[in-house]
């Protein structure tokens, strides 16, 4: 029965033309080894390829251990070749029951495959592959780095498939060997790809960290045995920071004290405040504890690491001074860290100010305004002290910034005051003094200022004098807009009070003036003036009369706009020839301006503007918009034929081609030939029999017809 089954299988394979080999067979052995009752085996027909399966491929120290089965219909033991990554590495032979098991050398590759070698007729056949990452270099895993204090612990496992012995593992800092041991520690279980190597393949190595602060890299390397090379299992980068760190944020002098602010942390004891030593110009002056709140720090270290002192005494010597801060190390660090150095400067001695003259309005009845020139560049500020009528000095004002003036108010009229203006800084001060007597109260202000008369050169004003003890009256005036000083006149005092009148002379006609009057008496504060404004009379003035176009090309009609500005007129009239374009009244005699359309035309138009004064005087000015042309403007040709042949006047184009006959001129006769308006042509008089040109315009014959052009005379035969 077994023979018949085997023969049937080979016959079926032969019928299909091929042999299918499964990687994992559906049975545990050859067909002839089934349980009882055993089938009757039949060797089948000759010439068929072998069949079989690669059951297992396992890495062992001697190489790759393989198991499986193979049979050939031609009988006999079957030779099975084993390859790794397509490269043959060895062979095994089946036993009498068709099973094979053996070990072949290991080479690096990803797949282990088996090929059954045919006996007799037929061909070799692949009987399956097993996925197995075969390595000849050591393999292993480096787990995350563990740190405690200044120690680094590196854990993992390592195997070299070429040996059953424990692999040596070495630790390197850069190129420097810093530790090593055998990977022979027990693991919690077997390794998936290396079950034959047992569980004692782990390692745990502790080495000291690098002593210097900064970033460092530590690597673990497995030492190769047999074929292959050493293998780096992995690297870790870690940071060393044991020395304290921080910053000196601020050194600021305030008067004779210095504020010092910063922070410091010692990473070995982040919960403990750090001591910071301060050095002033190279000399230790104070130790502070950095335990102040700083919300801007790294939250890993907490917020209680700031220091801020404001009472460190300044060095009272002019010039720069230097403060440095050092964080004092504790625990594993090696140095006291400099947090930084900053400078502050003590200014040079100040220079006394120069007090300026009081001027016209510096001294009043109840106030004195002080002004001074700041002669110093190093002052912290200014203060002013006052002595009343020779009494003690009292500070009345202070500015902690550079300043150039102040006003002392609520004073007593007619009282002498002395002042000291003092520039100061933290190392010196310098003063200047001045004295002044406050004025008596101001005189009563005038009221009711009015203009009672005007001429071309005068303005007469009148006002109510309300002061009965003035020494004189001052009248001041200036044309509006002028930057020149006002002209003044001094009038004798009017006994008591009453109405006063003054005529201002020497003024310009048609001009607006500002003026004012006020009483004056020595020792009294000047009062407010009564002010007014008025125009002198006179002929009107035309400030400008302009056109939007100064010239227009002939036959190119253009819309023209006129603008004007006049002074001293209450009416403006603009005319174009005999046509009034604008007649505008104005409710006053000031300076006013306007515009008006001048119509559409092609030039040669004159406009007239007439300004009228209230008293009837006028001023007129003309504005002409010219007409321009690149060619002569002709309205007609007055031609005399002095010959005995009939001539013809012709229009030609600018190239000389005949366009149109304009007229026929009989012999010994005269004819006026009107020209077409705005027609640009070449005009010639010719003899029609011969084409001879009897006359053309002196410019070459090209003219522009225009009804306002010239009448050109010509003669020819």
């Amino acid at each position: 029965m077994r023979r018949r089954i085997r023969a049937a299988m080979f016959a079926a394979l032969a019928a299909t033309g091929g042999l299918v080999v499964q990687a994992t067979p559906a049975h545990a052995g050859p067909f002839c080894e089934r349980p009882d009752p055993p089938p009757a085996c039949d060797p089948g027909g000759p010439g068929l390829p072998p069949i079989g399966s690669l059951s297992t491929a396992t890495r062992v120290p001697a190489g790759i251990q393989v198991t499986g089965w193979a049979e050939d219909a031609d009988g006999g033991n079957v030779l099975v070749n084993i390859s790794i990554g397509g490269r043959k590495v060895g062979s095994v032979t089946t036993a009498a029951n068709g099973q094979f098991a053996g070990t072949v050398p290991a080479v690096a590759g990803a797949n282990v495959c088996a090929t059954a070698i045919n006996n007799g007729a037929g061909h070799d056949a692949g009987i399956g592959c097993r996925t197995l990452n075969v390595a000849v270099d050591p393999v292993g895993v480096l787990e995350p780095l563990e740190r405690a204090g200044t120690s680094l612990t590196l854990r993992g496992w390592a195997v070299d498939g070429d040996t059953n012995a424990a692999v040596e593992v070495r630790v390197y800092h850069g190129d420097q060997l810093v530790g090593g041991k055998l990977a022979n520690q027990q693991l919690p279980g077997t390794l998936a790809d290396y079950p034959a190597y047992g569980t004692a393949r782990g390692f745990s190595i502790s080495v000291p960290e690098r002593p210097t602060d900064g970033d460092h890299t530590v690597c673990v390397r497995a030492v190769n045995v047999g074929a292959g090379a050493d293998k780096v299992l992995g690297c870790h980068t870690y940071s060393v920071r044991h020395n304290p760190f921080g910053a000196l944020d601020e050194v600021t002098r305030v008067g004779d004290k210095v504020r010092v602010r910063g922070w410091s942390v010692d990473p070995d004891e982040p919960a403990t405040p750090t001591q910071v030593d301060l050095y002033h110009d190279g000399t230790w002056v104070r130790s502070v504890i950095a335990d102040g709140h700083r919300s801007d720090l790294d939250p890993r270290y907490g917020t209680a690491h700031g220091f801020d002192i404001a009472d460190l005494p300044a060095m009272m010597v002019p010039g720069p001074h230097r403060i440095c801060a050092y964080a004092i190390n504790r625990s594993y660090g090696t140095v006291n860290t400099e947090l930084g150095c900053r400078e502050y400067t003590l200014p040079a001695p100040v220079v006394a100010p120069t007090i300026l003259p009081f001027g016209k309005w510096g001294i009043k009845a109840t106030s004195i305004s002080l002004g001074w020139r700041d002669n110093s560049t190093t002052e912290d500020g200014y203060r002013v002290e006052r002595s009343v009528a020779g009494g003690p000095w009292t500070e009345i004002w202070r500015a902690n910034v550079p300043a150039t003036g102040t006003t002392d108010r609520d004073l007593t009229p007619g009282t002498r005051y002395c002042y000291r203006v003092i520039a100061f800084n933290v190392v010196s001060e310098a003063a200047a003094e001045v004295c002044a007597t406050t004025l008596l109260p101001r005189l009563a202000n005038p009221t009711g200022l009015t203009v009672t008369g005007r001429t071309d050169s005068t303005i007469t004003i009148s006002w109510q004098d309300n002061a009965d003890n003035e020494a004189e009256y001052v009248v001041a005036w200036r044309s509006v807009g002028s930057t020149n000083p006002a002209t003044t006149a001094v009038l004798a005092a009017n006994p008591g009070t009453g109405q006063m009148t003054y005529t201002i002379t020497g003024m310009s006609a048609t001009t607006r003036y500002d003026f004012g009057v006020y009483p004056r008496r020595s020792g009294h504060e000047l009062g407010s003036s009564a002010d007014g404004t008025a125009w002198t009379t006179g002929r009107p003035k035309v400030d400008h009369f302009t056109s939007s176009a100064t010239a227009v090309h002939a036959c190119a009609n253009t819309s023209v706009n006129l603008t004007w500005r006049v002074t001293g007129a209450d009416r403006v009239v603009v005319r174009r020839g005999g046509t009034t374009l604008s007649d505008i009244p104005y409710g006053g005699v000031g300076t006013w301006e306007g515009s008006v359309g001048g119509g559409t035309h092609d030039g040669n138009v004159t406009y007239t503007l007439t300004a009228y004064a209230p008293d009837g005087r006028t001023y007129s000015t003309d504005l002409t918009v010219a007409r321009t042309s690149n060619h002569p403007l002709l309205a007609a040709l007055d031609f005399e034929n002095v010959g005995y042949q009939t001539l013809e006047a012709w229009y030609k184009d600018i190239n000389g081609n005949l366009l149109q006959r304009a007229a026929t001129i009989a012999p010994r006769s005269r004819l006026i030939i009107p020209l077409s308006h705005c027609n640009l042509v070449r005009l010639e008089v010719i003899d029609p029999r011969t084409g001879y040109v009897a006359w053309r315009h002196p410019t070459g014959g090209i003219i522009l017809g225009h009804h306002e052009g010239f009448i050109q005379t010509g003669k020819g035969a």
Side-chain angles (χ1 to χ4, degrees):
M1 175 63 76
R2 296 177 66 185
R3 288 180 177 275
R4 286 197 296 272
I5 293 174
R6 180 70 55 83
M9 290 180 61
F10 281 110
L13 291 170
T16 59
L19 177 65
V20 178
V21 179
Q22 296 184 358
T24 304
H27 54 274
F31 286 94
C32 295
E33 294 182 3
R34 299 295 177 87
D36 290 334
C41 290
D42 187 343
L48 294 176
I51 62 174
S53 174
L54 175 64
S55 299
T56 64
T58 307
R59 185 74 161 98
V60 295
I64 305 298
Q65 186 181 72
V66 295
T67 64
W69 66 271
E71 293 184 3
D72 190 309
D74 293 320
N77 295 333
V78 178
L79 179 67
V80 179
N81 290 342
I82 306 299
S83 64
I84 300 176
R87 174 185 173 187
K88 179 184 175 181
V89 295
S91 301
V92 294
T93 303
T94 62
N97 61 358
Q99 301 288 324
F100 66 83
T103 301
V104 296
V107 296
N111 292 303
V112 178
C113 296
T115 302
I117 306 303
N118 181 68
N119 293 331
H123 57 80
D124 300 342
I127 59 173
C129 295
R130 288 291 176 176
T131 299
L132 180 65
N133 292 321
V134 180
V136 295
D137 298 340
V139 297
V141 168
L142 176 63
E143 296 177 355
L145 180 68
E146 300 176 20
R147 301 183 65 183
T150 60
S151 178
L152 309 176
T153 299
L154 301 111
R155 303 181 191 275
W157 61 267
V159 171
D160 190 319
D162 296 329
T163 179
N164 198 37
V167 175
E168 182 184 0
V169 177
R170 297 174 179 174
V171 180
Y172 289 85
H173 261 131
D175 294 330
Q176 181 183 5
L177 176 64
V178 295
K181 63 172 51 178
L182 295 177
N184 56 8
Q185 296 181 2
Q186 288 294 328
L187 298 174
T190 59
L191 301 172
D193 290 336
Y194 299 88
Y197 290 80
T199 59
R201 300 295 173 178
F203 65 85
S204 176
I205 307 173
S206 294
V207 296
E209 66 180 20
R210 289 287 196 183
T212 56
D213 282 11
D215 294 333
H216 305 285
T217 300
V218 61
C219 297
V220 175
R221 181 182 301 173
V223 179
N224 180 69
V225 177
D230 294 352
K231 179 66 175 292
V232 175
L233 302 182
C235 297
H236 290 300
T237 298
Y238 65 94
S239 295
V240 173
R241 176 167 275 186
H242 294 300
N243 294 322
F245 60 94
L248 178 60
D249 294 327
E250 177 185 357
V251 170
T252 306
R253 180 188 61 81
V254 181
D256 60 352
K257 297 293 189 294
V258 179
R259 180 186 182 188
V260 181
R261 185 173 65 87
W263 62 275
S264 176
V265 173
D266 191 316
D268 293 327
E269 300 181 23
T272 303
T274 304
Q275 176 181 323
V276 177
D277 285 359
L278 302 179
Y279 285 78
H280 204 165
D281 288 347
T283 301
W284 178 90
V285 291
R286 185 178 299 183
S287 294
V288 298
I289 301 301
D291 58 358
H293 180 73
R294 286 289 295 262
S295 61
D296 57 329
L297 301 184
D298 189 327
R300 292 178 299 172
Y301 303 112
T303 59
H305 294 290
F307 60 90
D308 188 348
I309 62 171
D311 61 346
L312 195 69
M315 293 290 187
M316 302 307 292
V317 177
H321 299 278
R322 185 178 180 87
I323 290 180
C324 297
Y326 294 84
I328 304 305
N329 175 69
R330 58 166 57 91
S331 195
Y332 299 110
T334 58
V335 297
N336 297 327
T337 303
E338 181 184 289
L339 304 180
C341 296
R342 291 178 179 266
E343 289 188 349
Y344 69 90
T345 300
L346 212 67
V350 295
V351 179
T354 301
I355 297 179
L356 303 177
F358 287 106
K360 183 177 181 180
W361 304 104
I363 302 175
K364 297 183 178 180
T366 59
S367 67
I368 294 177
S369 294
L370 298 169
W372 59 86
R373 183 169 59 249
D374 182 1
N375 296 324
S376 185
T377 59
T378 61
E379 76 275 17
D380 292 336
Y382 279 90
R383 73 176 187 272
V384 175
E385 297 176 352
R386 180 183 65 194
S387 170
V388 181
W393 293 97
T394 303
E395 181 177 320
I396 62 169
W397 178 86
R398 176 184 289 262
N400 292 321
V401 293
T404 57
T406 186
T407 298
D408 190 16
R409 306 181 188 278
D410 300 325
L411 304 180
T412 302
T415 303
R416 182 172 177 79
Y417 294 89
C418 291
Y419 298 92
R420 286 199 300 221
V421 180
I422 305 166
F424 63 85
N425 63 20
V426 295
V427 296
S428 66
E429 58 182 46
E433 294 187 14
V434 67
C435 296
T437 300
T438 51
L439 299 174
L440 296 173
R442 66 179 58 182
L443 304 175
N445 297 329
T447 56
L449 179 66
T450 58
V451 176
T452 59
R454 296 183 300 119
T455 69
D456 289 4
S457 60
T458 66
I459 294 177
T460 300
I461 56 177
S462 177
W463 67 92
Q464 174 65 36
D465 173 18
N466 297 316
D468 61 0
N469 59 343
E470 77 274 18
E472 56 198 14
Y473 253 93
V474 178
V475 180
W477 63 93
R478 182 170 57 186
S479 60
V480 174
S482 173
T483 58
N484 296 325
T487 304
T488 59
V490 178
L491 283 65
N494 186 39
T497 61
Q499 198 72 19
M500 295 188 70
T501 300
Y502 183 75
T503 297
I504 305 172
T505 61
M507 295 177 155
S508 300
T510 320
T511 302
R512 185 182 182 185
Y513 285 87
D514 289 331
F515 45 82
V517 297
Y518 58 90
R520 187 168 65 185
R521 184 181 183 87
S522 177
H524 283 261
E525 182 181 336
L526 289 176
S528 299
S529 64
D531 300 322
T533 184
W535 287 82
T536 55
T537 60
R539 187 182 181 191
K541 295 186 293 186
V542 177
D543 301 319
H544 73 76
F545 181 38
T546 57
S547 168
S548 59
T550 58
V552 178
H553 284 282
C555 298
N557 286 337
T558 301
S559 178
V560 174
N561 188 59
L562 307 172
T563 59
W564 47 265
R565 186 175 67 198
V566 300
T567 299
D570 61 358
R571 178 187 173 205
V572 172
V573 177
V574 180
R575 296 181 177 86
R576 174 179 170 179
T579 302
T580 298
L581 301 179
S582 176
D583 188 343
I584 304 174
Y586 179 65
V589 292
T591 297
W592 53 301
E593 56 188 24
S595 63
V596 63
T600 301
H601 54 79
D602 66 349
N604 199 28
V605 173
T606 298
Y607 301 95
T608 301
L609 180 146
T610 302
Y612 294 84
D615 60 6
R617 285 182 284 186
T618 65
Y619 181 85
S620 296
T621 185
D622 292 335
L623 169 65
T624 298
V625 178
R627 176 183 293 137
T628 62
S629 174
N630 296 329
H631 305 283
L633 302 180
L634 295 187
L637 173 62
D638 184 356
F639 188 78
E640 181 181 1
N641 184 353
V642 297
Y644 295 94
Q645 300 296 331
T646 299
L647 301 177
E648 294 178 351
W650 277 87
Y651 292 132
K652 295 183 178 181
D653 64 21
I654 59 176
N655 295 318
N657 300 310
L658 296 176
L659 295 177
Q660 180 183 356
R661 184 169 56 195
T664 300
I665 309 169
R668 315 295 290 180
S669 67
R670 181 180 177 188
L671 181 65
I672 296 178
I673 306 167
L675 303 182
S676 299
H677 184 64
C678 290
N679 192 18
L680 180 66
V681 294
R682 184 188 298 273
L683 179 62
E684 293 181 351
V685 178
I686 64 174
D687 185 336
R689 298 173 304 135
T690 64
Y692 169 74
V693 177
W695 179 90
R696 69 160 55 98
H697 193 275
T699 61
I702 300 176
I703 55 92
L704 178 61
H706 199 285
H707 57 68
E708 295 183 16
F710 297 100
I711 297 178
Q712 178 71 49
T713 60
K715 182 185 292 187

